[in-house]
Structures are given as C-alpha cells and as structure tokens.
Amino acid sequence: MPDFFSLIDRQAAIVVSLARTTRAILQGKESVHSVRLLDLEQRRQELRRRNQAALNSPAALTADVGEINWTMEALDRVAAGLFRTARGVDQGGSGPDETSCLMIEAIETATESLRHGYSRLANGSPVAECDADAAMASEQVLGGERWLRFPEAAELEPAALSQPDGELFAEAAGHPAGRRVGRLDELHAKLAAITLEVVKAGAILRNWSRQLAAGWHDRRSCGGGQQARPVWPLMGS
C-alpha cells in the first residue's frame, strides 16, 4: 500500500507554504513573480501526479480509499486557489488589507491543524476530531457580516479555484452582464471559497477519524486490545 499519509502531509505542507507566501505578496513583501511561488506551484503539480499514480496503483485499488482521495482533492484545490490568488494580486493597489491577511492566516492555521490530525491517524490513533474541529473553525473568520459583503464566494466555489492565471477578478458566473464587484471584495470572495475547501477537508478528517475510532473499538471489544495503524478497508464503510 502506498504511504498515503506521507503524500497528504506533503500536500498540507505545500498549502501552509503557499498561504505564507500569498500573505507576503498581499503585504508587498514578496513579488507575484517570486521564484518561491513558482517552485511551490511546480511542487504542487508534481505531487498531484504522484498522488494520482498512488491512487491508481494495484495495491490501492484493492482497498476503499475514498477519504484519502477526497482529502487529496480538497487540499489540491486549496493549493491551486492560493497560487492563483497570489498571482492575481494587484501589487500596484492600495496595499495590504487586514481582512485578507486574517483569512490567509486562518487558512494557514487550519491546515496546520489538519496536518496534526493526519499525523495522529498515521501513528495509529483514531482520535483526530479535535484537530478536525480546529480546522473547521476557520470558517468563523468569515463572520456573518463579512459573508454578506461577498456572497459571490458561493459562485466562485469550487469552480473558480481552477480559473486560469490572471482571471482572479473575472466576473463571477451568473452575474448580470456588466456587473462587477470591487476588486477587494472579489479577493475576499476568492479567499472565502478557499477557506470553505479547508473546512471540507476538516469535515472529511472528522468523519475519517470517527470511522477509524469505531473500527478500533470494535477490534478491542473482540479481544484485540492493541492499537494498530489504520485499516484502509474501514474507510468509506
């Protein structure tokens, strides 16, 4: 069986690095053309190819790896969204925006919580719900009033996370012809859509942990009494 937890951990690490780089670009501390940003995108694409190869391997095809696939897809959408957000930043604009930076920080913190949860599962512990809940709490940074300011996130998510470079501020699908929101509000909408993908990954981790915990308790009740690494066929059952 491929080492899926190692692949997922690398994905999450790329997301954290992209969040930090994007925040630096928003604050004008780094260029949208930085070598680090391009290197992270290349690493994301390479890891995506490796993930697909692992999921399509004969060993993986014998097990139910639904949560693994969903997690990888969610993290890849987050990484792709961050890269395109960074590339779409108007560095000739009005400078850093506090709300945008707070949202980026929430994405970074939530992804670190996800990494902690994945580490628990990799070490054989089915108790990762607290990490999942911490990641899902990132949605709170949006707040009711802020969400009303950029409802376009509902339309941007998830399709807009795969927009071509340079189309960050393109008109959202379904808007009346000629209608555009402000550049800053659309940036917030983009970050909100990315945050919602992180929340989805947290929900997957919580469900994943609960399934593994149920299987672990079942094995203990049958006299096993030992904590082992996750049993892949339990996933999605």
Side-chain angles (χ1 to χ4, degrees), residues 83-235:
F83 173 73
R84 291 182 173 88
T85 298
R87 288 294 299 270
V89 170
D90 179 12
Q91 290 195 310
S94 59
D97 166 63
E98 182 180 1
T99 298
S100 301
C101 292
L102 286 174
M103 295 173 77
I104 289 287
E105 289 177 7
I107 292 170
E108 179 183 337
T109 301
T111 306
E112 289 175 337
S113 295
L114 290 175
R115 289 189 73 184
H116 192 226
Y118 301 142
S119 177
R120 287 180 187 269
L121 298 187
N123 292 328
S125 170
V127 185
E129 279 195 56
C130 58
D131 300 305
D133 290 340
M136 295 172 70
S138 63
E139 190 174 15
Q140 295 176 2
V141 76
L142 301 180
E145 293 182 2
R146 286 183 182 145
W147 181 255
L148 292 175
R149 287 181 53 204
F150 41 86
E152 292 78 10
E155 298 175 11
L156 287 171
E157 181 277 330
L161 298 185
S162 59
Q163 286 183 144
D165 295 347
E167 293 188 11
L168 170 62
F169 302 111
E171 186 174 24
H175 282 186
R179 178 190 170 197
R180 289 178 183 272
V181 294
R183 295 176 68 86
L184 190 56
D185 280 345
E186 198 159 353
L187 172 58
H188 293 169
K190 190 76 170 183
L191 292 174
I194 295 171
T195 303
L196 292 180
E197 287 296 331
V198 177
V199 173
K200 287 181 184 178
I204 295 169
L205 176 61
R206 183 172 63 182
N207 179 62
W208 194 351
S209 178
R210 288 176 177 176
Q211 291 186 45
L212 293 176
W216 182 76
H217 287 303
D218 288 344
R219 291 194 296 276
R220 283 183 62 89
S221 65
C222 291
Q226 293 184 350
Q227 189 171 344
R229 289 177 63 87
V231 180
W232 300 114
L234 284 173
M235 299 178 186

Side-chain angles (χ1 to χ4, degrees), residues 7-13 15 44 69-81 111 114 118 197-198 201:
L7 293 172
I8 290 174
D9 182 72
R10 289 180 62 189
Q11 267 194 303
V15 170
R44 178 192 74 84
N69 184 37
W70 299 332
T71 297
M72 288 178 168
E73 287 297 320
L75 290 175
D76 186 69
R77 286 193 295 270
V78 172
T111 306
L114 290 175
Y118 301 142
E197 287 296 331
V198 177

Side-chain angles (χ1 to χ4, degrees), residues 14 40-48 76 79-80 84:
I14 289 174
L40 286 170
E41 172 61 5
Q42 291 176 352
R43 286 167 56 190
R44 178 192 74 84
Q45 294 181 356
E46 175 60 26
L47 188 55
R48 179 178 176 81
D76 186 69
R84 291 182 173 88

